Amino acid sequence: MARLLPIQRETELPDSGPRVVDLEGEDADAVFSALSSDTARDIYRTLQEEPHTPSEIADAADTSIQNVRYHLDNLEGAGLIEVVDTWYSSRGNEMSVYAPASDALVLAADEEEASRLRTALSRL
């Protein structure tokens, strides 16, 4: 019998370009806090390669699903990742698929430099 729900499909990612964060900006604390642990950075790196579900991330990072969900919440709260799709398990359960919210993360020393970087990157 054919499956009624797709288990996994190709996820199209929006072309969001790089995100420039200046060290003096209000979102810098959230970004640094979200990336403060090795596990969070591993998760972010894993998602840079391709979108994944929390269970796939847990397998890749060799950690618990609860730990992954904690870091996903922090990364999403900092605007570093986002839910880009919904897949279904073999049981029909919905699974969120996460990917980076931007193509790259660029750090700048201050708002002036951040503005120059945004302008330069937009030209590329």
Side-chain angles (χ1 to χ4, degrees):
M1 181 171 142
R3 290 200 161 103
L4 297 175
L5 299 172
I7 291 180
Q8 191 172 350
R9 62 180 177 256
E10 190 70 29
T11 301
E12 297 218 8
L13 300 177
D15 184 18
S16 58
R19 177 179 176 190
V20 180
V21 175
D22 71 277
L23 297 177
E24 295 174 353
E26 55 192 52
D27 60 342
D29 287 339
V31 168
F32 284 115
S33 178
L35 293 171
S36 65
S37 78
D38 289 337
T39 303
R41 290 189 299 275
D42 287 344
I43 290 169
Y44 189 66
R45 243 187 324 270
T46 298
L47 292 176
Q48 288 289 337
E49 296 168 9
E50 68 179 286
H52 288 293
T53 64
S55 59
E56 291 172 331
I57 296 167
D59 289 343
D62 195 28
T63 189
S64 70
I65 191 74
Q66 294 84 1
N67 193 25
V68 166
R69 288 192 190 280
Y70 170 81
H71 289 293
L72 289 174
D73 287 344
N74 289 340
L75 291 166
E76 190 173 21
L80 295 170
I81 64 168
E82 61 189 6
V83 175
V84 294
D85 203 353
T86 301
W87 293 344
Y88 296 91
S89 71
S90 58
R91 294 179 170 172
N93 296 324
E94 288 187 356
M95 301 181 297
S96 295
V97 180
Y98 292 87
S102 58
D103 293 334
L105 180 62
V106 180
L107 300 176
D110 56 33
E111 181 57 38
E112 185 178 322
E113 184 178 345
S115 179
R116 283 194 307 266
L117 282 169
R118 283 185 197 96
T119 302
L121 290 169
S122 70
R123 291 180 190 151
L124 296 175

